[in-house]
Amino acid sequence: MKDNSLTYQRILFVILWVGCTFGFISDEIIAGLSQWRSAVYVCLDAMWIVLALCTVRRRTHVIGFFAMLAVTFVATCVANGMPVTFWANGVRDFLGLMLAYPVMCYFMGNNERRRNFEPALERNLIIFLLLQAVCVLYQFFRYGAGDHCGGSFGNWYSGQVSMCIYIASFYIVHKRIDPAAPFESLKNCKLPIALLFPTFLNETKVSFVLLAIYFVLLMPLDRRYVVRAMWAIPCALLLGWLAISVYTMTAKEDDDIFSLEYITEYVTIDDIDEAEGGALWAINEGIAADVPRFTKIMYLPILHEQEPGHEMLGWGVGQFKGGTGMEVSEFAYQYDWLLAGSIPYVFHILVQLGNIGVVLVAAWLLLLLIMPPAWSKGRDYNTQLMVVLIMCIIMLYNDSLRDLWMCMFLFVLLASSWIPKEEESETEIQPEEIPE
């Protein structure tokens, strides 16, 4: 049988690069491209589905994907009476979550594919990091620190680009770490570590958390970890101090961002009942409404009182889409003040798929973490812990898992966390898998 893996690999990187750069190009270089943004992303989603059809083989992954399709359809078209076209547009937000890991496992699935894919992936990640340095610096000098500094993703992607930078750098550096001489290994990783600096030019507070996780998990988790950590603490403190200094010099805020009062106000408000009034006032004043993240989650019981009957299956997928080629739903129009701004991913799921959706997504992510691929002989605990912590952050921080490119970065890291068997058959079909 002809091996088409190199063709699939090229398609994968085409999807990745078009998706990762179209935002910046249309925002800063060719403004006329903005009107084609939706069409381009629809085409990329179609290419992604075709790639998945050609590469996803494991029965478990296929069943999981179709279970998500069934639940989203029932929640959208059956329970809420939305048209099929609305469901088809909304389900695009879940294509990365459900298919990125199975596709990445295909490229890690045997020695030949892995020998081609891993070096290509590392080269592309280095280019990605270099590109973010250029794009974020340009955006910083043009707009100042803030949400405009989304790197090659474009405006309003500051949180996502910071996470992707840490994922890309961690993948490269961790692979080069020699457990017998970790500190000597770090000397050969100056470039990917130095290219973390753009994450402190866009006011993403989560970058400080990611920085700590990054350096803690670079060290091999073994009996000598504590000794290595003691040596690493001065370096981590120095880098942390530099990061805070850069952030303080570039941030537009005068408040102490590390104070308990600031952190509390950043994620919630004192009176949940005032959330709607404050957001509507901001909209009337021409200010973008952005209800704090935790306030949105805490407001859900009030929302369910106002709109009963949606606790289990939500209001259907597509509530965060529309407004360009497709009309927004009546619910999204009425509660635009609540659905705008920073969206924790758990809120994103609860609104669209209710409690059943949260259980389904949690079960899917847990399945990916506990079920090793057929070609694996063990786990890289550092990398898997990195993935788990980033997932937990996203659940409460933003809705970047609805974005295909973010899923490609996160789940290629998860796929790489499985240690491959030294010798394996080039034909990876197992009894629990389905044929091509």
Side-chain angles (χ1 to χ4, degrees), residues 116-421:
N116 292 323
F117 181 66
E118 289 185 332
L121 175 63
E122 184 165 330
R123 287 194 302 271
N124 280 272
L125 292 181
I126 285 287
I127 296 170
F128 173 82
L129 291 173
L130 291 168
L131 184 61
Q132 303 322 302
V134 173
C135 292
V136 172
L137 277 174
Y138 171 85
Q139 293 159 333
F140 173 76
F141 286 118
R142 181 171 182 180
Y143 304 108
D147 291 337
H148 282 288
C149 297
S152 65
F153 295 111
N155 289 332
W156 319 118
Y157 283 92
S158 57
Q160 178 170 302
V161 76
S162 292
M163 288 186 175
C164 288
I165 287 172
Y166 275 97
I167 291 171
S169 180
F170 184 86
Y171 175 88
I172 296 167
V173 176
H174 184 61
K175 276 198 166 293
R176 297 179 182 179
I177 292 288
D178 179 2
F183 295 106
E184 289 76 5
S185 304
L186 288 176
K187 296 177 183 177
N188 300 321
C189 301
K190 298 183 183 70
L191 179 61
I193 293 176
L195 289 174
L196 296 174
F197 84 90
T199 63
F200 300 102
L201 300 179
N202 58 12
E203 291 192 349
T204 48
K205 286 84 174 172
V206 75
S207 294
F208 297 103
V209 179
L210 293 171
L211 179 68
I213 294 171
Y214 177 95
F215 280 102
V216 166
L217 293 180
L218 277 181
M219 298 295 105
L221 294 175
D222 56 25
R223 285 176 293 182
R224 299 181 59 194
Y225 180 83
V226 175
V227 176
R228 295 193 189 103
M230 294 299 295
W231 282 99
I233 285 174
C235 298
L237 290 175
L238 175 61
L239 286 169
W241 175 79
L242 289 172
I244 293 170
S245 300
V246 171
Y247 184 97
T248 304
M249 289 187 294
T250 59
K252 293 177 286 188
E253 301 162 333
D254 296 326
D255 299 325
D256 179 7
I257 66 167
F258 300 101
S259 67
L260 180 61
E261 180 182 0
Y262 178 88
I263 294 172
T264 302
E265 292 179 357
Y266 180 68
V267 298
T268 189
I269 58 176
D270 294 331
D271 190 347
I272 302 299
D273 293 326
E274 295 180 358
E276 181 176 1
L280 292 176
W281 176 87
I283 293 174
N284 291 333
E285 293 295 317
I287 305 171
D290 190 2
V291 178
R293 292 170 171 86
F294 286 0
T295 301
K296 288 177 175 172
I297 298 173
M298 295 166 66
Y299 191 83
L300 281 171
I302 299 175
L303 184 62
H304 287 140
E305 287 182 8
Q306 298 170 344
E307 304 279 343
H310 296 274
E311 292 88 346
M312 297 308 294
L313 284 170
W315 284 264
V317 297
Q319 304 302 331
F320 296 89
K321 300 180 76 68
T324 51
M326 183 172 291
E327 293 292 327
V328 299
S329 69
E330 181 180 344
F331 171 82
Y333 178 80
Q334 182 178 354
Y335 292 96
D336 59 341
W337 60 270
L338 183 63
L339 305 186
S342 303
I343 305 292
Y345 193 64
V346 68
F347 179 82
H348 176 88
I349 301 170
L350 283 167
V351 165
Q352 298 187 103
L353 298 173
N355 296 330
I356 291 177
V358 171
V359 172
L360 181 62
V361 170
W364 172 249
L365 295 176
L366 186 62
L367 179 71
L368 302 186
L369 288 164
I370 65 176
M371 180 176 288
W375 44 266
S376 166
K377 69 173 182 179
R379 306 168 183 268
D380 180 338
Y381 287 97
N382 292 63
T383 302
Q384 291 201 352
L385 189 54
M386 180 76 167
V387 171
V388 169
L389 292 174
I390 291 176
M391 285 180 181
C392 292
I393 290 171
I394 290 174
M395 288 296 167
L396 299 176
Y397 180 71
N398 64 22
D399 58 348
S400 57
L401 281 180
R402 65 182 289 199
D403 191 280
L404 174 58
W405 340 120
M406 178 69 203
C407 291
M408 292 172 77
F409 275 85
L410 182 62
F411 289 114
V412 79
L413 187 64
L414 179 58
S416 73
S417 72
W418 298 105
I419 302 171
K421 298 174 183 176

Side-chain angles (χ1 to χ4, degrees), residues 56-66 364 367 371 429-435:
V56 177
R57 298 179 173 182
R58 195 164 189 176
R59 184 179 293 116
T60 306
H61 297 158
V62 175
I63 292 173
F65 176 69
F66 280 102
W364 172 249
L367 179 71
M371 180 176 288
I429 303 295
Q430 302 293 330
E432 62 179 358
E433 298 175 329
I434 60 176

Side-chain angles (χ1 to χ4, degrees), residues 77-141:
C77 300
V78 178
N80 288 286
M82 304 300 292
V84 174
T85 51
F86 192 87
W87 165 77
N89 189 47
V91 82
R92 291 169 51 208
D93 279 350
F94 296 91
L95 293 178
L97 176 70
M98 299 305 297
L99 294 176
Y101 177 75
V103 169
M104 296 307 176
C105 281
Y106 167 81
F107 293 105
M108 300 286 188
N110 67 32
N111 287 329
E112 186 64 29
R113 289 201 290 268
R114 195 162 47 248
R115 277 194 294 266
N116 292 323
F117 181 66
E118 289 185 332
L121 175 63
E122 184 165 330
R123 287 194 302 271
N124 280 272
L125 292 181
I126 285 287
I127 296 170
F128 173 82
L129 291 173
L130 291 168
L131 184 61
Q132 303 322 302
V134 173
C135 292
V136 172
L137 277 174
Y138 171 85
Q139 293 159 333
F140 173 76
F141 286 118

